[in-house]
């Protein structure tokens, strides 16, 4: 028999009943919290109490960050063009590229690969310092001593038993940067989530998924707000006053192009 | 002072601290479940215990439905073109148009407008019947007696105190269709969620948002699976064997077009 | 034999050769202009000289409209999140909803249905006037006497033989509005393209396609410019100075939510 | 004065008139072919006769490739979810990632960097061979002796005067692979376009743009066909017969999760 072209280990139907990761979906409804069901879908197994609590905290920590990020600008602009809720939200999700949510993935990879290799922290840090590469998950525009969100997540990680080698590594990197550079470059909230999610055994390739799942409710709220309180084709940018034209001045079309 | 072009009631920053719907985000982390935070972001207020439980159940009920829906086909095809997790997930969200998740919005509108107007149920149903229009939120390919997911959600609605006039209306419509048509067209899971969400006071314009938020984790799992277990540029469709060409047969380019 | 699930009349392969609408693709390369090939793909037949010229003019007329439209805002915001050229361009295309390019489709439908029905122009106009509905393809913020782009396209339509009943109808509507209202609401560029494309026999359901195809090169240029000349995660919106927060002031999380 | 946050060199408005790259848009309509206008938008200058012809040929060469590529699957699936033409087309453009159209960008980079560096071709090739890395723009599933599309484009490049050092380099690489490997890995159509576009002075970062612009008309035709000839929510994938479930078998929800 020919190999089938579509394969999945997530969900299947047996006699019109949906089974998610082996469990009857209907049994999950009313019995699992949304975050527990997300854990099941992503990891393939049910979370224990501590894992459940940690998941709830992670998703809540990124639920919205205001109207200014590129994702919200994109989502509201697309909605404003006269599109449905789903299309606006999708544009927001598209904006979550390497510079917007991507740090979570990069930081998970950084932490997981270095913890796995067992390389001394001072070596890892000095490599980045000497090449002047930013370390993913570190640094913040305003927080220069510590990131309060990181502190919060690390406290919770300790409470729920996820403060293990990945979190330790991340905090040691912060200390080592301070030692080598003489100033702090703080472990930011992306780095903190990355450390905890690594501790929970999630693959770094799934990193951006935490950000996407956690932030989509914020995007839904923004697009709904745009659609219900603003006029279509919003004039957010006044070309004359707010843009700089950096191109060539008006010029004549050469005569050889003039046909009509 | 000129009116500002960007306005929002969702989130703002005060001295680098994020406040969501008035609450300090950091206070929510560890204290709210993800579904509670979603309720806050969407509704502007914190949920009580019953509202929290109902929200968890609604999102879990739509978390995944297998590999076959157009949203998953689109998400996996886009990922397969060599794109990041966020781009694949966004394609899935785009697919949630009027024929895919849109029923939830339509059913909420149908229930809310008819409950608000107080029109007799038999009149409402006979109008749809005489025009042979499908009633949004009713009907299922396999379930001919009752939809087990509807039964589950309605039980929970009763348990948590959300079985009020919107749910009653929805179930009365099912009975009335049976009376007028002589056969059941069941209240399906979209209709059930629509009835409960209406009972909780959510605007129908936000209807698709419940589906989007609930299903995004499933999309994340599918795109992750595609990216980690399948080859890029997957050959899911064998043109020769699986497609029918309905166009004109090969023909010669007319001589007046032959330049080179 | 079971019916095949994928059907198309556009392109097929015969022994590794691609045939588009029956013509060998390789024969088209070098012999057709891009606009001629677009005509073939959309319409199924090769254009004559006049149709070719008219297509070139239509696409050129919408090729770019500056940085301010929602599509460019969305495209550049998505690119700025750290995404590839194709993802930014796609976000721009998504923005072409009913309020942004949709007028072309609506105007084509308006013209085609009314020309087909043969209703008197004064009746059509007075119906819209009495219901205070805008007529799709008419009206402009700045142009109060005539839209110079419309004049240009109509001249070309006359030159190439496409000034027939659809164009006449559109111009009669402009006159009739003037008669009934005492002031001009000009036939705008969307309306002009709609009239000409209708004259050429294109279905109004394809209307937005003209706008999409014509504007994509502009989107490519904008996203390329964003990616090569601007920093990632551009701070285009200064939340503090440029946004108005319309929500509730900071408030305390109720004590019953405080767990940790 | 504060620096403006939006900058562009593409288009600006002067007294309600649109100027694209310095030329009055209205002067371009009727005087430039679509491909010439695209050249202007992308490059900033008008093309000469040879550049115009070459551009037409390049875009025509990629205009459609049938229903099977991931971009068309995604576009039609999204449309099928109940979305407008623009949303379906956007999903198709999203699919143009590194594995689908991305080869054009990679091949342009490969050619431009190696031509600029002046490295001997045999060194370049042996480096790829020894690392078993595929050379972008080379190789084809069916064409083992030569790619007829490449031959066609190269002929045209010679006719129009674009067979210079970039095209020569590309063909030398093909010969060198043959010499080192004993078998041909043909310069494919992506590689051929890449060579010619490089010859014309286009930056490799714009490479995918050629593919996007050229293929969008095909996507418009496919989405239009889907919307007008197929039913919404198309059942293209029969889960039971066409998918393989690779996950865990049905299992019981552990008793500690059973609340209701």
């Amino acid at each position: 028999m020919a190999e089938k072209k579509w394969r999945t280990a997530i969900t299947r139907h047996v006699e019109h009943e949906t089974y998610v990761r082996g469990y009857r979906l209907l049994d999950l409804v009313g019995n699992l919290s949304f975050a527990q069901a997300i854990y099941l879908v992503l990891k393939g197994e049910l979370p224990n109490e501590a894992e459940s609590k940690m998941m709830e905290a992670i998703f809540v920590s990124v639920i919205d960050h205001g109207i200014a990020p590129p994702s919200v600008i994109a989502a509201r602009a697309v909605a404003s063009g006269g599109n449905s809720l789903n299309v606006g939200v999708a544009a927001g999700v598209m904006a979550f590229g390497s510079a917007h949510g991507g740090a979570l993935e990069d930081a998970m990879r950084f932490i997981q690969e270095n913890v796995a290799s067992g390389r001394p922290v001072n070596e890892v840090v000095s490599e980045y310092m000497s090449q002047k590469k930013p370390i993913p998950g570190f640094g913040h525009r305003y927080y220069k001593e510590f990131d309060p969100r990181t502190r919060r997540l690390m406290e919770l990680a300790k409470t729920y038993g996820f403060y293990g080698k990945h979190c330790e590594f991340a905090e040691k990197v912060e200390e080592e940067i301070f030692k080598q550079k003489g100033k702090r470059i703080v472990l930011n909230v992306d780095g903190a989530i990355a450390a905890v999610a690594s501790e929970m055994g999630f693959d770094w390739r799934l990193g951006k998924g935490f950000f996407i799942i956690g932030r989509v409710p914020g995007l839904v709220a923004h697009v709904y707000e745009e659609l219900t309180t603003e006029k279509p084709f919003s004039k957010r940018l006044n070309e004359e006053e707010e843009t700089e034209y950096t191109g060539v001045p008006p010029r004549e079309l050469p005569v050889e192009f003039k046909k009509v």
Side-chain angles (χ1 to χ4, degrees), chain A residues 28-218:
Chain A
L28 307 181
V29 177
N31 284 321
L32 257 57
S33 79
F34 184 33
Q36 288 178 315
I38 297 169
Y39 185 98
L40 173 65
V41 165
L42 298 183
K43 207 104 191 280
E45 296 300 331
L46 291 164
N48 62 27
E49 189 70 15
E51 288 159 339
S52 304
K53 294 273 174 59
M54 203 67 235
M55 288 293 278
E56 307 280 9
I58 288 174
F59 292 130
V60 172
S61 73
V62 296
I63 199 162
D64 194 53
H65 205 68
I67 198 169
S71 52
V72 179
I73 304 283
R76 295 183 83 132
V78 164
S80 175
N83 286 291
S84 301
L85 189 65
N86 63 307
V87 186
V89 172
V93 174
M94 282 164 78
F96 297 150
S98 62
H100 188 0
L104 187 45
E105 186 179 312
D106 296 340
M108 278 176 82
R109 182 177 194 173
F110 169 77
I111 293 169
Q112 290 178 18
E113 291 182 349
N114 283 300
V115 165
S117 77
R119 268 181 84 193
V121 174
N122 64 342
E123 251 186 63
V124 174
V125 171
S126 67
E127 188 192 302
Y128 277 82
M129 294 292 119
S130 66
Q131 297 175 24
K132 292 184 194 299
K133 282 196 303 184
I135 303 184
F138 290 83
H140 196 272
R141 272 198 305 163
Y142 300 120
Y143 302 130
K144 298 301 175 192
E145 287 304 311
F146 66 93
D147 185 330
R149 301 165 300 172
T150 295
R151 193 163 278 187
R152 181 72 169 161
L153 284 168
M154 287 298 172
E155 272 166 27
L156 292 170
K158 281 171 186 158
T159 305
Y160 300 130
F162 297 106
Y163 191 87
K165 57 191 174 178
H166 296 90
C167 293
E168 262 173 37
F169 172 80
E171 298 213 319
K172 268 187 204 157
V173 168
E174 194 189 82
E175 287 313 306
E176 185 62 33
I177 295 170
F178 182 57
K179 215 190 270 178
Q180 293 191 21
K181 233 183 134 76
K183 74 170 188 174
R184 290 207 170 273
I185 297 182
V186 302
L187 177 63
N188 61 34
V189 69
D190 292 321
I193 295 175
V196 177
S198 297
E199 204 70 43
M200 296 175 84
F202 285 101
D203 179 5
W204 65 264
R205 288 163 200 83
L206 194 56
K208 227 191 268 172
F210 285 85
F211 188 72
I212 295 170
I213 294 169
R215 183 61 61 85
V216 157

